């Protein structure tokens, strides 16, 4: 079976380094929020050009903690995309606020800035643009709108570590940004993890307090916080991967280029469009077809793993049935949910295996 994302090959390529780092952590006797976490925070903030980075338990917690630290709560509204992983909206709901959805751009699949202003009300406090599949949202326009209406911008960059927008790293573009270190992410660990980047030092201080039960002095609490701390072992693993990430993202781009070169021969599959002012890191390589089920069955029959991202838009999820949305409200997002499917992509997808995937698809199209 050709894997959608071959995690085994990826981690085995750095197995020796990871095992050594794990042994070093075990011998240190420091297992939670220790020197490896400090080092990871410093290296990521330096790499992305922010003043601080705060490591937390996972990407969802990163979003929740950031919203909470900004004081967003019941009665507030936060604008985001309906075409993304559930956590983008779940975090808004978790702090008691209401997610307000805006349709997406048909080319980038990211939130459409032209449709944001019409959704802003007196209750709107923030915008969460999602850098979907590894490509940045149109941040200049989003930041202009936010400045005009005095709104906070929190980048959901969970799928986009290493991507850039007009030469600037994703994660340095808004007021704060949230990343996930889930194993399938480009920068991932052997479990859960996340980080928040920001140049707002007051915000960073508040998040650091919230991630450890609302305290800055052990056993003395002035806030209701969370238990969302990154383990030293995960930080040590991530420091190994961080040294590889630029090379691995480059290899993903090589895989993407081969898909473009070979699959552009047919009009049957819609290939992802990269905006001229963005660099894409291809967390996922999603193509579109009105006959998606046919292609999914074809790939499965030929031992090729695929996936659907995402089969049901957030505004149509049962949990949000109380909100004033219905089918047809966001036609572009709804269309994407019916047509997009992901092809295998990873730094370790061999050219031979990729050519096999391409041949299977082209033979079906030509046949």
């Amino acid at each position: 079976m050709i894997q959608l994302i071959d995690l085994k090959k990826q981690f085995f390529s750095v197995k020796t380094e990871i095992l050594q780092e794990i042994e070093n952590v075990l011998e240190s006797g420091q297992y939670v929020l220790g020197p490896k976490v400090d080092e990871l925070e410093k290296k990521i903030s330096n790499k992305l050009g922010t003043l601080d980075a705060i490591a937390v338990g996972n990407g969802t917690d990163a979003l929740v903690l950031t919203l909470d630290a900004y004081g967003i709560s019941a009665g507030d509204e936060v604008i985001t995309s309906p075409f993304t992983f559930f956590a983008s909206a779940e975090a808004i709901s978790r702090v008691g606020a209401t997610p307000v959805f805006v349709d997406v751009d048909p080319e980038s699949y990211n939130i459409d800035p032209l449709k944001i202003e019409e959704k802003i009300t007196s209750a709107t406090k923030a915008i969460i643009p999602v850098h979907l599949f590894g490509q940045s949202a149109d941040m200049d326009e989003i930041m202009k709108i936010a400045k005009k209406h005095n709104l906070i911008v929190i980048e959901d960059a969970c799928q986009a570590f290493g991507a850039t927008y007009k030469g600037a790293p994703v994660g340095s573009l808004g007021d704060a940004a949230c990343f996930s270190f889930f194993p399938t992410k480009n920068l991932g660990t052997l479990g859960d993890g996340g980080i928040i980047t920001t140049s707002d030092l007051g915000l960073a201080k508040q998040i650091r307090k919230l991630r450890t039960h609302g305290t800055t002095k052990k056993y003395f609490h002035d806030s209701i916080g969370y238990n969302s701390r990154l383990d030293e072992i995960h930080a040590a693993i991530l420091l190994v991967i961080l040294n590889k990430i630029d090379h691995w993202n480059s290899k993903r781009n090589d895989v993407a280029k081969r898909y473009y070169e070979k699959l552009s021969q047919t009009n049957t599959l819609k290939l992802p469009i990269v905006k001229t002012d963005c660099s894409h890191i291809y967390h996922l390589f999603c193509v579109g077809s009105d006959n998606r089920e046919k292609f999914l069955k074809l790939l499965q029959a030929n031992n090729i793993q695929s996936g659907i991202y995402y089969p049901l838009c957030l505004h149509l999820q049962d949990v949000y049935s109380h909100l004033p949305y219905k089918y047809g409200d966001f036609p572009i997002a709804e269309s994407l949910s019916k047509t997009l499917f992901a092809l295998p992509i990873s730094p370790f997808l061999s050219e031979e295996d990729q050519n096999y995937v391409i041949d299977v698809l082209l033979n079906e199209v030509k046949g």
Side-chain angles (χ1 to χ4, degrees):
M1 173 70 76
I2 296 176
Q3 302 293 314
L4 182 63
I5 304 169
D6 198 332
L7 292 179
K8 187 174 180 179
K9 278 185 184 176
Q10 179 172 302
F11 284 111
F12 265 67
S13 75
V14 288
K15 177 182 175 181
T16 302
E17 293 172 73
I18 285 175
L19 290 177
Q20 182 60 60
E21 288 299 324
I22 290 173
E23 185 175 338
N24 292 343
V25 171
L26 291 176
E27 290 178 353
S28 76
Q30 297 184 72
Y31 305 132
V32 180
L33 292 185
K36 291 295 182 182
V37 171
D38 290 342
E39 184 182 352
L40 180 70
E41 290 176 338
K42 288 182 176 66
K43 285 191 172 180
I44 285 181
S45 63
N46 288 338
K47 184 175 181 62
L48 301 185
T50 60
L51 294 181
D52 209 346
I54 311 97
V56 296
N58 54 69
T60 304
D61 280 3
L63 290 164
V64 172
L65 284 161
T66 305
L67 288 163
D68 194 339
Y70 272 122
I72 293 170
S73 60
D76 295 334
E77 295 176 351
V78 179
I79 292 172
T80 195
S81 167
F83 189 65
T84 177
F85 181 61
F86 182 61
S88 305
E90 180 185 32
I92 298 167
S93 299
R94 178 53 60 193
V95 298
T98 301
V100 174
F101 299 113
V102 171
D103 209 353
V104 298
D105 174 78
E107 294 186 347
S108 69
Y109 313 145
N110 290 320
I111 193 168
D112 187 344
L114 298 177
K115 298 173 181 175
I116 289 176
E117 278 198 282
E118 64 191 50
K119 294 298 183 74
I120 295 173
T121 71
S122 59
T124 308
K125 295 295 186 293
I127 305 169
I128 299 181
V130 181
H131 305 312
L132 198 69
F133 302 154
Q135 179 171 210
S136 175
D138 187 351
M139 290 301 294
D140 277 359
E141 290 304 312
I142 291 169
M143 295 304 291
K144 284 179 189 174
I145 293 166
K147 185 176 181 180
K148 178 181 175 181
H149 295 276
N150 195 28
L151 303 177
I152 296 157
V153 177
I154 302 166
E155 300 171 67
D156 183 338
C158 289
Q159 298 183 3
F161 192 95
T164 63
Y165 174 78
K166 296 187 176 180
V170 159
S172 67
L173 306 167
D175 297 296
C178 301
F179 293 90
S180 168
F181 297 139
F182 189 74
T184 59
K185 298 298 191 288
N186 293 33
L187 178 60
T189 185
L190 296 173
D192 274 316
I195 204 162
I196 301 149
T197 55
T198 184
S199 290
D200 181 340
L201 296 181
L203 176 73
K205 183 178 179 181
Q206 179 67 2
I207 292 170
R208 287 183 190 280
K209 180 168 72 171
L210 289 174
R211 76 175 174 181
T212 312
H213 300 288
T215 180
T216 53
K217 181 181 179 183
K218 196 171 183 179
Y219 303 130
F220 293 84
H221 306 265
D222 57 21
S223 300
I224 299 296
Y226 303 80
N227 179 14
S228 185
R229 301 170 293 193
L230 188 67
D231 297 338
E232 280 288 281
I233 284 177
H234 287 312
I237 292 167
L238 287 160
L239 284 166
V240 172
I241 307 302
L242 189 62
N243 288 330
K244 315 288 183 183
I245 191 64
D246 291 339
H247 176 64
W248 286 2
N249 281 344
S250 177
K251 297 288 284 183
R252 284 175 178 269
N253 266 269
D254 291 342
V255 173
K257 285 176 186 175
R258 288 198 291 272
Y259 277 136
Y260 284 116
E261 288 168 4
K262 302 292 180 66
L263 296 180
S264 60
Q265 301 171 25
T266 172
N267 294 322
T268 304
L269 295 173
K270 181 188 175 185
L271 303 182
I273 294 172
V274 182
K275 297 291 189 175
T276 56
D277 52 7
C278 294
S279 70
H280 206 311
I281 50 88
Y282 296 103
H283 168 61
L284 293 168
F285 191 94
C286 291
V287 300
S289 172
D290 291 333
N291 293 309
R292 180 173 70 186
E293 288 305 314
K294 177 185 75 171
F295 282 105
L296 291 175
K297 289 176 183 177
L298 173 72
L299 293 169
Q300 184 178 27
N302 285 277
N303 292 314
I304 300 167
Q305 193 176 49
S306 184
I308 298 175
Y309 301 88
Y310 295 94
L312 185 65
C313 293
L314 299 189
H315 66 290
L316 300 176
Q317 298 284 343
D318 285 347
V319 71
Y320 288 132
S321 60
H322 64 287
L323 298 179
Y325 299 112
K326 63 184 184 306
Y327 182 80
D329 284 346
F330 306 115
I332 297 171
E334 291 163 15
S335 173
L336 294 172
S337 74
K338 291 181 172 61
T339 58
L340 288 189
F341 62 101
L343 299 180
I345 191 165
S346 92
F348 298 92
L349 179 64
S350 70
E351 193 165 349
E352 179 183 3
D353 282 350
Q354 187 181 8
N355 284 337
Y356 174 69
V357 174
I358 290 166
D359 288 343
V360 167
L361 293 169
L362 289 180
N363 287 338
E364 176 66 22
V365 170
K366 293 173 182 175

